[in-house]
Amino acid sequence: QSLVKFLYFESFTPGVAKIKQSLIARFALDPLISKDEQLELFLNITYFGHADGSDTRGFAKAAKVYFGKSFKDLSDEEYLKILAMLSGPNLYNIKTNPMKNAEKVAELRKQLGS
C-alpha cells in the first residue's frame, strides 16, 4: 500500500483515499507486479530525506549520499542508520539530526535484540 500511495497519489489524506489505496493495491498492483518486484520498486523509490540540494530516493542513493558508498559496501551500523530514516526521513536524517538518528538506531537494536 505504501507503494500505491507513492505511485498513485500526489497528496494523500486518510479516509476515502485509504480505501482507494487498498483497492488499487488489491486489484491493480498485486495482479500485475509480483511481491518481489514490488519490494524492489519500493526499495528504489523510498524517500530518505532532502540532502545535498535534492530529494534522496532509494537505499542505493541513500548509501551514496550519506556515506559515499555503494549499498553493498555499507557496514551494519551504516545500514541501521539508513533504516532508521524510514519512519521519519527528515526527523531522523543522518546529516541534519544525527542525535535523533542515533536514538532511533538504538530503538531498532532493541527491537532486533542486538
Side-chain angles (χ1 to χ4, degrees), residues 76-77 80 83 105-114:
D76 289 347
E77 182 69 17
L80 283 174
L83 197 60
V105 167
E107 184 182 311
L108 287 173
R109 285 187 185 286
K110 283 182 188 175
Q111 291 173 357
L112 296 171
S114 58

Side-chain angles (χ1 to χ4, degrees), residues 9-99:
F9 294 87
E10 235 176 80
S11 62
F12 184 84
T13 53
V16 174
K18 184 69 173 174
I19 295 168
K20 288 179 182 177
Q21 176 185 343
S22 297
L23 292 172
I24 291 169
R26 171 72 173 95
F27 295 107
L29 196 64
D30 287 349
L32 297 173
I33 302 173
S34 73
K35 292 294 181 187
D36 286 345
E37 291 169 319
Q38 287 181 41
L39 178 59
E40 183 178 348
L41 187 56
F42 177 77
L43 294 174
N44 287 318
I45 64 172
T46 300
Y47 178 66
F48 285 101
H50 193 81
D52 299 334
S54 65
D55 285 350
T56 302
R57 292 208 174 268
F59 277 83
K61 186 169 183 188
K64 287 282 185 208
V65 167
Y66 294 110
F67 297 106
K69 298 179 176 182
S70 68
F71 182 73
K72 67 179 179 70
D73 292 330
L74 291 176
S75 68
D76 289 347
E77 182 69 17
E78 291 165 337
Y79 172 73
L80 283 174
K81 287 180 178 187
I82 290 174
L83 197 60
M85 292 177 64
L86 278 175
S87 62
N90 292 312
L91 176 63
Y92 301 113
N93 189 292
I94 296 163
K95 287 185 177 184
T96 60
N97 212 343
M99 295 299 284

